[in-house]
Amino acid sequence: MTLRHPLALLAAAAAIGCAYASDPIISTSFTPDPAPYVHGDTVYLFTGHDEDDAQYFKMKDWQLFSSTDMLNWTYRGTPISTATFSWAKQGDNAWAAQAVERNGKWYWYICAEDTARPGMHSIGVAVAPAPDGPYTDPLGKPLAPATALGFIDPSVFIDNDGQAWLFWGNNGLWYAPLADDMISLAGEVREVAGLNNPESFGPLREKRDYATNTMMMKTGYEEGPWVFRRGDIYYIVYAAGGVPEHMAYSYSRDIHGPWTYGGRIIDESPASFTIHGGSVELKGRHFMFYHNGRGANGGGFRRSTTVEEFKWNGDSLPFIPHTTGELSKGTGTLNPFERVEAETMAASYGLKTDRRPGKDHYITSVHNGDWLRLREVEFGERTPESVSVVFESIKDGGCVEFYLDHLGGKPLARVEVEAGGKLHVNVPVADGFDARGTHDVYMLFRGGDSELFNIDYWQIH
């Protein structure tokens, strides 16, 4: 095994310089259609998954991430795929989804191509005892079978009175009440009123009507509804304006309408002709998630999640400009003296994660010069004595170098492994480090030309 040092360090430093100018909060996979959900002090981020080689919509499964600080995101697995649903076309068309918790169970509402209705999507639901699963399809059939084209992009929300509602639709917008079991409808499927009224859903434009295959004048509403309530007002945030899409919203004081157009809130998504997402509140701060195509090798069919912080303008959503997606400050800090999953990171280069369900995960595809970054790591007044790394497997072997605040100079610690060596390695911290306070932590991976290892977790002692 030959370690590559100067060139690897220069390449990593250059890659990190590029990272500051790009958006993805998830760098290990493409994550379109983000659906955030706050549970306690944790944001769970349910996403779609564009394949790395996609030239069109190529989506086989859905992924899950979580964060307690809005800076560092932990991969929680790929809990469901089209294979979860016996009625779905297998291996493709795993489109936008959203999840919610109720009474200790998690309900993940998805859309997938329905084999009983070729070329059409239906709405389904998977249920689990925890956000990361295991999920099963309790119905063995769609929850809302397609009666028209455009049964995609489900959005679920539970009203103040406990009534849950499901909205969905492209080129149409439908909704229905959910029963208490969350896996059946408690009433008829209705179309949202005012969908062709510009006072309800924005300026009229010419658009093809799927049912008649003719061009018609329709409002700006396109797809991707995100429905929620704030105070006494209901909001629908949605993709609008056709291709390329921007984000707009409408509001009402009644779940049944009438709806009033609120305006544009996010411009067309950079490097992506679609846009899709939603907002959450955490610790008194408000965040809007959506996707764009600005990730490495990204584009309109390889999209990545980004996030913007915003402040309400009374009862109105403000216009939210595109930024780099890097929040200036988190909602918490990361404790390095507890086990830190290797698949937790604020940014990375070259790395991938496993692609399996369950609770145990790791980073893979680790090569010479790859790196990851964690933000706002809180050392407090403790003096670190050693660093341990637990490897899931060792391939060619190499080393992991830990740096504080920036790459270059002397590493805090250097953990070396060889093929066939120990999976759990503990090394002392280098002399002369004052790590007190809050720092960014970088992990730089070095080795030969082959894949180096898979890493499970690390911890500072």
Side-chain angles (χ1 to χ4, degrees), residues 216-262:
M216 300 179 64
M217 296 302 293
K218 296 194 172 186
T219 60
Y221 174 84
E222 181 74 20
E223 61 184 351
W226 179 270
V227 184
F228 63 99
R229 179 174 177 172
R230 184 173 183 263
D232 295 329
I233 301 177
Y234 298 90
Y235 297 84
I236 303 178
V237 172
Y238 48 88
V243 176
E245 298 172 340
H246 64 270
M247 247 181 194
Y249 81 101
S250 298
Y251 62 93
S252 174
R253 292 191 178 273
D254 191 302
I255 193 69
H256 303 293
W259 296 90
T260 300
Y261 179 61

Side-chain angles (χ1 to χ4, degrees), residues 152-189:
I152 66 172
D153 300 352
S155 179
V156 59
F157 114 95
I158 301 173
D159 207 345
N160 295 353
D161 62 1
Q163 177 61 60
W165 296 90
L166 191 65
F167 285 69
W168 67 90
N170 167 287
N171 200 49
L173 182 54
W174 299 271
Y175 73 114
L178 286 164
D180 289 343
D181 62 11
M182 300 292 285
I183 60 171
S184 60
L185 302 183
E188 65 177 340
V189 173

